[in-house]
Amino acid sequence: MNAYASTERLEAVRDAINSALPSLDGWPVPAPLPEALPPVAAFDPDLLPEEIREWVMDIAHRMQAPADFAAVGAITALSSLIGARAVVQPKAKDDWRVVPNLWGLIIGSPGVMKSPALAESLRPLNKLEADAREVWEAEHEAWQLDAKVAEMQTDANAREAKGCAVKDPAKARDLLRPIELPASPPERRFIVNDATVEKLGELMGANPWGFLAYRDEIYGLLKSMDREGQEGARAFYLQGYDGNQSYTFDRIGRGTVRIERVCLAMLGGIQPGRIQSYVRDAVTGGSGDDGLLQRFALTVWPDVSGSFKNVDVWPDTHAKQRARDVFERLAGISVDGEAAVWRFDDASQSIFNEWREEFETEIRGGDLHPALVAHLSKYRKLIPALALIFAMIDAPEAGVIEDRHLMRSLAWGDYLRTHAERLYSAAVTPETGAARSLLTKLRSGVLGASFTPREVARKCWAGLGTSEAARKAADILTDYDYLQREIVQTGGRPSEQYTVNPRVRGAA
């Protein structure tokens, strides 16, 4: 075969290949999909006071979980022990006071050890709860015996009064007077897992200085309060965040119940998909758009390493005991009528004033998303509250917050802000996880040149298992020129059909 014939054959093969490839006419180059999540700051052990630092880091090491989880659990639990027993006055002269009860939320996918890490960080609190239950049971048993004795004495007096009613009416009246019995001893509570808002109010009446409401999976609580008729429950929780307001229940049958002070710390975990959905509702005028979510100022959404190391060591007993001592000291704070008032010293007051001016200027500047502004506005409470917590861990009786306590608090603010930005990115960034998954399938060619959302749903791929999920993912890819959408009329209801950009499948 001569060279001319060989060249002719190669050109014929090339023409055949090119004719089989789809035309790129009219198809733009797809734009990169935006990153699904903005970066967050990694947890620095120096954020924690020395008394609890080694204990928290030991939990993270043994669990092979992000230290953020145990740290937020520990700080929230400690804030609940202080509750309204102590307050911080952030200004030197103004009487504005902050109760340090905080709300914590940890975000992570299933299997990243959220629950075990939180359970470990709450062990000292659960121990206090168990010890208090033992004391209360003994006191309640003694009270029940006193009540039975009083009942028997009342019966005996009634019989005696009956015998002397005619001869000595005055004595009979004295005998029939009710015997005064001491009130049932209140049970001190440290942690509540699942209670109606009315029961929470009852417990708060007996524990006016506050306690922790803990939900392993808090999504159920958030959604339950979205239902019609739960406005009162939301109002109760919102007021519980302030920590210094009274609350009144007016119910037919139960009458009026007045609670002197509603002080509630909250802690729970949630999965990324669920919190993203809730965030979208909260920032688009949905039922969650009342500031409830923004009160979870201690929100962390850390990156989780893909590697795992099996760690099988004994817990650090010394570190655990140091932490337990802190919990017991704070639980033993005595209150004589009024909460102890803590103030900044001169150095920390100057630092706080400078931070406050810069902070207020930024959040009023109009450059931030309104949802993020609403969240960051809670730092007016968070920063002085954390400073008070750190000061009371170091010296619970001093009454003065030093600059080292405030600087640690401000470092927490910087760290937590990156996690807040990740949280509220769901409001301003498309949900690209499912779109990326669909794009991977398109590049592999398993869907062909065009498809409908129903065809994708039938594949039962993760995140794309419904027609609606597939449609949302396809619409995002359409916005970035990976697909073209057209409405197809097939005799019944019109449906969407998506055509794949040839460049996605490698056409050049």
Side-chain angles (χ1 to χ4, degrees):
M1 181 184 298
N2 58 37
Y4 178 77
S6 176
T7 301
E8 256 190 347
R9 182 170 296 179
L10 287 173
E11 289 179 351
V13 170
R14 186 178 296 113
D15 290 342
I17 292 174
N18 288 334
S19 65
L21 290 173
S23 171
L24 297 179
D25 292 342
W27 286 98
V29 176
L33 289 174
E35 290 298 323
L37 295 173
V40 294
F43 187 80
D44 186 343
D46 286 339
L47 288 170
L48 294 168
E50 291 183 9
E51 295 296 315
I52 63 172
R53 185 183 305 160
E54 293 180 1
W55 169 63
V56 168
M57 299 311 295
D58 181 61
I59 292 173
H61 175 63
R62 289 186 292 109
M63 297 287 173
Q64 286 292 283
D68 318 59
F69 294 166
V72 167
I75 295 299
T76 307
L78 290 168
S79 83
S80 74
L81 287 177
I82 299 171
R85 293 175 177 82
V87 296
V88 54
Q89 190 164 299
K91 292 184 177 181
K93 300 175 182 177
D94 194 284
D95 60 358
W96 169 39
R97 293 177 177 179
V98 171
V99 181
N101 60 309
L102 296 175
W103 290 15
L105 181 66
I106 65 171
I107 304 170
S109 302
V112 296
M113 305 296 284
K114 297 193 304 295
S115 299
L118 281 182
E120 280 293 305
S121 66
L122 293 179
R123 275 199 180 192
L125 203 63
N126 284 316
K127 178 65 166 57
L128 291 170
E129 175 85 4
D131 292 346
R133 179 73 181 181
E134 259 185 54
V135 171
W136 177 82
E137 285 177 346
E139 292 176 347
H140 189 69
E141 184 178 353
W143 176 83
Q144 285 180 317
L145 293 175
D146 291 340
K148 286 183 178 181
V149 170
E151 183 181 354
M152 294 167 63
Q153 190 173 351
T154 298
D155 292 342
N157 288 348
R159 289 193 296 269
E160 186 178 350
K162 186 175 180 180
C164 66
V166 176
K167 293 182 179 180
D168 193 350
K171 181 179 180 182
R173 282 197 300 271
D174 289 338
L175 288 169
L176 291 176
R177 295 183 191 280
I179 296 174
E180 291 188 8
L181 182 69
S184 174
E187 179 183 4
R188 181 170 181 184
R189 297 297 301 272
F190 291 90
I191 186 167
V192 176
N193 298 117
D194 186 12
T196 64
V197 67
E198 288 80 11
K199 184 62 179 178
L200 275 178
E202 181 182 316
L203 294 173
M204 199 66 68
N207 297 268
W209 303 108
F211 51 78
L212 176 70
Y214 169 61
R215 290 288 189 98
D216 179 34
E217 179 53 63
I218 209 166
Y219 182 73
L221 174 64
L222 295 176
K223 294 304 290 183
S224 70
M225 288 193 291
D226 288 347
R227 301 189 191 114
E228 188 176 351
Q230 292 298 307
E231 295 81 6
R234 292 187 74 90
F236 182 85
Y237 278 100
L238 290 170
Q239 201 146 317
Y241 173 80
D242 294 332
N244 55 8
Q245 303 294 319
S246 61
Y247 199 88
T248 302
F249 289 100
D250 291 306
R251 297 289 187 271
I252 296 175
R254 298 184 63 182
T256 298
V257 178
R258 292 183 177 87
I259 303 169
E260 175 187 352
R261 184 187 300 103
V262 182
C263 180
L264 194 66
M266 285 188 69
L267 176 65
I270 197 168
Q271 297 176 20
R274 288 182 165 180
I275 193 62
Q276 286 177 307
S277 173
Y278 193 86
V279 167
R280 290 190 185 91
D281 287 342
V283 302
T284 55
S287 56
D289 190 15
D290 60 0
L292 182 70
L293 179 64
Q294 284 83 356
R295 282 163 168 76
F296 287 91
L298 286 175
T299 293
V300 290
W301 189 345
D303 296 318
V304 179
S305 173
S307 61
F308 178 82
K309 179 182 178 182
N310 185 47
V311 176
D312 186 8
V313 296
W314 294 108
D316 188 332
T317 305
H318 175 68
K320 183 189 291 188
Q321 188 57 53
R322 285 182 74 185
R324 183 168 291 178
D325 290 343
V326 172
F327 276 78
E328 290 177 353
R329 279 195 290 112
L330 295 183
I333 297 173
S334 60
V335 182
D336 186 17
E338 291 292 331
V341 179
W342 288 60
R343 292 178 172 84
F344 294 123
D345 64 14
D346 291 341
S348 56
Q349 186 69 66
S350 177
I351 295 170
F352 180 79
N353 293 344
E354 182 180 351
W355 168 82
R356 181 86 190 278
E357 288 183 4
E358 293 179 0
F359 169 76
E360 295 289 351
T361 300
E362 181 187 16
I363 65 173
R364 299 179 190 201
D367 296 329
L368 302 176
H369 191 282
L372 184 59
V373 170
H375 185 95
L376 294 179
S377 67
K378 304 306 177 188
Y379 283 27
R380 297 181 182 116
K381 168 171 177 166
L382 174 70
I383 296 302
L386 282 173
L388 172 59
I389 293 168
F390 298 146
M392 294 191 72
I393 289 174
D394 285 347
E397 304 298 332
V400 176
I401 299 173
E402 300 175 5
D403 56 352
R404 59 194 176 105
H405 304 128
L406 179 58
M407 293 303 293
R408 175 171 280 129
S409 173
L410 292 173
W412 267 88
D414 293 339
Y415 154 77
L416 289 169
R417 176 165 178 165
T418 66
H419 291 258
E421 289 169 349
R422 171 172 286 190
L423 174 65
Y424 291 99
S425 69
V428 296
T429 304
E431 190 176 5
T432 58
R436 290 178 184 277
S437 178
L438 179 57
L439 182 58
T440 300
K441 303 297 183 184
L442 295 175
R443 283 173 171 157
S444 69
V446 296
L447 283 172
S450 64
F451 62 90
T452 65
R454 180 174 294 183
E455 290 171 350
V456 176
R458 287 173 181 167
K459 303 288 186 180
C460 297
W461 291 321
L464 299 166
T466 66
S467 296
E468 182 62 23
R471 183 180 295 106
K472 287 181 178 179
D475 285 343
I476 291 173
L477 294 181
T478 300
D479 292 340
Y480 289 88
D481 296 323
Y482 291 92
L483 303 173
Q484 283 185 357
R485 180 180 56 190
E486 60 178 322
I487 303 299
V488 178
Q489 185 74 43
T490 57
R493 189 170 57 180
S495 62
E496 298 97 337
Q497 181 165 304
Y498 297 86
T499 302
V500 183
N501 187 332
R503 300 175 190 275
V504 173
R505 301 200 310 277

